[in-house]
Structure formats: structure tokens, C-alpha cells
Amino acid sequence: MAELSGKSVYITGGASGIGKAVVEAFIKEGATCTVLDRSADGLRELEQQLGDKVRTITGDVTVYEDHQRAVQCAVEAFGKLDILVSNAGVFDAFAKFVDVTPEAMSEAYDMLFSINVKGSFFAAKAAVDALKQTRGNMIFTVSGAGFYPDGGGVWYTASKHAQIGLLRQLAFELAPDIRVNAVAPGGTLTALSVIPPLRPFVNIVDNETKAKSIKRRNPLQIAMEAEDHVGAYVLLASDKARAITGEVLASDGGLVVRGL
Ligand code: NAD
């Protein structure tokens, strides 16, 4: 039987990469999805591919009203909201702290924390009342960088630690009504974008180099693809996880056994 039959999902950053793979997997499992993304082209493709199982909102996760529009759209189109997946994010491409000028550091901080951290605060706030009504759940996309060094530079690593703090406190405050968990993917072959203020300080590598570097960094030596993580999201979203809250499920090729 489908694990998410009849569930209504709101997901951010679902037009590409891990978010898109989650949308496809959730729909296969019987859910409907409302997707917020800043890529209007990506959303148009998603609508063509998935038809009436999906609703899309072109917007920005740093704008609270865009989340409100998305939650309202999910409730109007599908009658309720059961699951929030706060997934949109951006990267610092391992920019080195010592190389970056104070001006670029500040601009990078504002931009990356607004998207990766404030975006999750806003998504949770906009969805909380609707999720209370269904005793639903939230899932944040964090990262191996939420636990270990060498998964990004200081901006990305600090932002992923911050999201884990947000999910743990929310899991505490929202129990017993709403479960709050996260998936922590390891390095994955996607188009994860590097924020403009840090681009002068980093080398943007091609996909083959990226695949080699991802393989080298995880004990299972997998060049992970977005689809490799969807099982973790389906489990946490489903009623099979009804006793799980405040958890981060690592889907990272075994970073924990590196012994850092
Ligand atoms: P991606 O670029 O393929 O997907 C991210 C999506 O978010 C894109 O569709 C993009 O348009 C959207 N987005 C970005 N900023 C936005 C904004 N301000 N408002 C609305 N939409 C916005 O990248 P991905 O790798 O699939 O990233 C998804 C999540 O996975 C991120 O939170 C990222 O930190 C996390 N993650 C990625 C990796 C990796 O190696 N790719 C590893 C661990 C965690």
C-alpha cells in the first residue's frame, strides 16, 4: 500500500535536485504536493510532468507572505496540510574563511542565512496552524555539514547547525501535536547553487570532479544522487514514523563511521 496516500504536502525548493526527487517519490506514494520555488521554469516543467497532483507557487523562501500563499494554496487545492518539507537551500562551495573579505563575508552571511535558516523559520511558522489541525509533521533538509566539518565552508556549515537547533526546539515545543524531524544528505550530485558574494573566492568544479570528491568523502564511496535520499523522507513523513520526533536521519554514505 502507498505510504502517503491522501497526504497533502508543502515543499520548498521542489523544482530541482533533492526536492524534486522528493516530490516525485511522494506523489508515487499517493500524496499531493504544493511546491514553492524561485525557478518559474523548473516549476512549469514539474506541472507538465505531474499534472493535477501538484500545485506550484513561484516565490522566495525569504519572503514570509510567499509561504502563506503556498500554505493557503495547499489547503484550498487539497483540503488540508499534513506535511511540510523545508528543503530550499544554497551553498558556499567551501569558500575559505581567511580568503574572504569582511564585506563579502557579511553579504554572504545575510544571503545564505536568509535562505537556509530564515527560510525554514518562515516555512514552519506559516505551516504550523494547518499542521496542528491534521497532527502532521515537518521535515527539514539539513546536511552532513550540520554535524561534521568538511561538508562546506563556515557559512553553509553554521547554517546547517542552525537548522538542526531549530528542528530540535520546534520538536520540543510542538509535541504532542506535530512531529519535527530532518534528513541529512551527504554530498549529492545536484545543481546546488553557490551564492554570488562568494563566487570570486571559490572554484566551481565540473560534475565529474564533484562525483570523485563526493565518493572520496563518504565511507560507502557513493557518488550520491538526489533519488538516493527519498526513502528517508518517505519514512519520516509517513505514519510508520509516528513515534519519531526531534531526529535527524543521516543519508550520507556513512559519515558517522569516519570517526571524526
Ligand atoms: P538544487 O539547487 O538542485 O535545489 C534547490 C532548489 O531550491 C532549487 O530548485 C532552487 O531554485 C530553490 N531555491 C534556492 N533558493 C531559493 C529561494 N530563496 N526561494 C525559493 N527557492 C529557492 O540543490 P539541492 O542539492 O537539491 O539542495 C536541496 C537541499 O539539500 C538544500 O537545503 C541543500 O543545502 C541540501 N543538501 C544538498 C546537498 C548536496 O550535496 N547537493 C547535500 C546535503 C544537503
Side-chain angles (χ1 to χ4, degrees):
M1 186 178 123
E3 296 293 348
L4 302 174
S5 194
K7 303 285 189 192
S8 163
V9 181
Y10 166 36
I11 176 164
T12 69
S16 162
I18 295 169
K20 186 174 184 186
V22 170
V23 170
E24 290 166 349
F26 277 20
I27 286 177
K28 256 193 208 139
E29 293 293 341
T32 48
C33 292
T34 303
V35 184
L36 172 76
D37 204 289
R38 66 182 173 186
S39 166
D41 289 346
L43 290 175
R44 213 169 300 119
E45 267 178 40
L46 205 64
E47 280 175 5
Q48 281 163 5
Q49 182 191 339
L50 298 168
D52 65 359
K53 299 283 181 203
V54 77
R55 293 290 184 281
T56 66
I57 304 279
T58 305
D60 192 315
V61 292
T62 66
V63 178
Y64 184 65
E65 291 72 24
D66 288 352
H67 295 280
Q68 286 183 303
R69 282 197 294 134
V71 169
Q72 195 181 345
C73 171
V75 172
E76 278 172 16
F78 304 117
K80 58 179 180 151
L81 184 69
D82 300 286
I83 297 150
L84 162 69
V85 182
S86 175
N87 166 79
V90 287
F91 196 39
D92 62 12
F94 300 95
K96 288 273 170 283
F97 185 66
V98 291
D99 294 344
V100 175
T101 60
E103 296 73 27
M105 182 182 74
S106 170
E107 220 187 308
Y109 176 90
D110 288 344
M111 193 174 283
L112 193 140
F113 270 69
S114 285
I115 296 173
N116 290 10
V117 185
K118 192 163 76 177
S120 286
F121 270 73
F122 279 178
K125 183 72 178 164
V128 72
D129 288 343
L131 291 176
K132 235 180 189 171
Q133 287 177 28
T134 55
R135 293 183 76 86
N137 70 83
M138 301 181 182
I139 303 171
F140 295 88
T141 299
V142 296
S143 167
F147 295 96
Y148 313 109
D150 204 24
V154 289
W155 296 267
Y156 188 72
T157 301
S159 78
K160 293 295 169 180
H161 277 66
Q163 278 185 297
I164 291 176
L166 170 66
L167 95 86
R168 288 191 172 136
Q169 182 62 24
L170 279 182
F172 173 73
E173 290 188 24
L174 300 180
D177 299 321
I178 301 172
R179 298 187 295 108
V180 187
N181 294 294
V183 175
T188 305
L189 290 165
T190 67
L192 184 60
S193 69
V194 180
I195 52 169
L198 292 177
R199 285 183 196 158
F201 304 96
V202 299
N203 290 324
I204 310 280
V205 296
D206 63 34
N207 240 23
E208 203 181 318
T209 312
K210 206 161 147 187
K212 278 191 191 142
S213 148
I214 291 173
K215 261 179 138 167
R216 215 179 30 244
R217 283 162 196 270
N218 71 82
L220 292 179
Q221 296 178 13
I222 307 171
M224 284 170 273
E225 313 255 0
E227 291 72 20
D228 289 317
H229 308 301
V230 299
Y233 289 86
V234 171
L235 170 66
L236 290 175
S238 77
D239 295 336
K240 282 202 172 134
R242 79 179 194 103
I244 303 179
T245 197
E247 275 299 333
V248 184
L249 185 43
S251 177
D252 62 9
L255 295 181
V256 72
V257 301
R258 278 198 322 197
L260 271 171

